[in-house]
Amino acid sequence: MANMARIVYVVPLIRRTELDSFRWLGIWQSEKDHWDLPVCRKLEEESVQTLLKREVAWRLNIERNEFLVARMSQLHVNPIGASANPDRDDEVELIFNSVDVVRQTTIDVLSAAPDFRWLTAAELCAGNTEDQQTVNPRISQWLNRWHVIQPWQ
């Protein structure tokens, strides 16, 4: 008999407003040679907001009052597929949640860091940047499959 667990991954869509559109924060993954969005595994009794406040502050090395986590998820997909482990029959969920960086000084610090880059919706959906650097294909597939971000945003 297979073991079953509920595994929840949350993708924080960390964004800033630029004129009349958004840009989303990509994190450089040097070992995979591509830009990525963070994907966080949710603990069993933890709320999405608690997870994102902790993970975003830790991953970006910023204070929790420098960003706002949306109270409602942008998209919740259940299930997205089976576990990669053949001995398990896990239920896998995926949640996309907006996170807005609210302080200009924080935006400036993140913009200057070499491991961070503000990506356009078109770059995220196309799977590569204007200068032909790769965006994680899995992220682009998810965004396009469920129309989480539209290329013209």
Side-chain angles (χ1 to χ4, degrees), residues 2-38:
N3 295 326
M4 184 169 174
R6 182 171 169 252
I7 301 171
V8 180
Y9 293 104
V10 181
V11 180
L13 299 169
I14 304 166
R15 63 188 185 178
R16 69 176 172 99
T17 304
E18 182 175 289
L19 299 175
D20 60 348
S21 63
F22 291 112
R23 291 210 178 226
W24 289 268
L25 189 66
I27 300 173
W28 181 250
Q29 301 294 328
S30 57
E31 68 280 355
K32 296 180 181 177
D33 197 34
H34 67 224
W35 291 100
D36 211 345
L37 298 181

Side-chain angles (χ1 to χ4, degrees), residues 24-38 110-120 123-124 127-140 143:
W24 289 268
L25 189 66
I27 300 173
W28 181 250
Q29 301 294 328
S30 57
E31 68 280 355
K32 296 180 181 177
D33 197 34
H34 67 224
W35 291 100
D36 211 345
L37 298 181
L110 294 172
S111 298
D115 290 342
F116 299 130
R117 178 175 180 163
W118 294 103
L119 302 167
T120 66
E123 290 173 323
L124 286 167
N128 56 40
T129 64
E130 289 179 359
D131 55 354
Q132 300 307 307
Q133 291 182 318
T134 303
V135 173
N136 182 343
R138 176 190 63 187
I139 293 293
S140 293
L143 296 177

Side-chain angles (χ1 to χ4, degrees), residues 12-128:
L13 299 169
I14 304 166
R15 63 188 185 178
R16 69 176 172 99
T17 304
E18 182 175 289
L19 299 175
D20 60 348
S21 63
F22 291 112
R23 291 210 178 226
W24 289 268
L25 189 66
I27 300 173
W28 181 250
Q29 301 294 328
S30 57
E31 68 280 355
K32 296 180 181 177
D33 197 34
H34 67 224
W35 291 100
D36 211 345
L37 298 181
V39 177
C40 311
R41 186 165 176 177
K42 184 178 165 296
L43 301 176
E44 191 171 322
E45 298 298 322
E46 183 175 46
S47 73
V48 170
Q49 288 74 26
T50 300
L51 164 72
L52 291 178
K53 286 177 185 176
R54 181 188 71 246
E55 286 290 318
V56 169
W58 175 71
R59 289 180 189 221
L60 303 184
N61 195 28
I62 61 177
E63 298 297 322
R64 293 179 185 199
N65 65 350
E66 298 179 57
F67 60 91
L68 298 173
V69 175
R71 291 187 183 265
M72 291 185 64
S73 299
Q74 190 169 335
L75 179 69
H76 182 148
V77 181
N78 176 22
I80 65 164
S83 171
N85 185 339
D87 296 328
R88 299 184 61 89
D89 188 23
D90 298 333
E91 178 183 344
V92 180
E93 297 178 45
L94 184 62
I95 298 172
F96 293 88
N97 211 95
S98 296
V99 176
D100 291 298
V101 180
V102 294
R103 294 192 180 195
Q104 187 60 48
T105 53
T106 304
I107 291 170
D108 293 343
V109 167
L110 294 172
S111 298
D115 290 342
F116 299 130
R117 178 175 180 163
W118 294 103
L119 302 167
T120 66
E123 290 173 323
L124 286 167
C125 292
N128 56 40

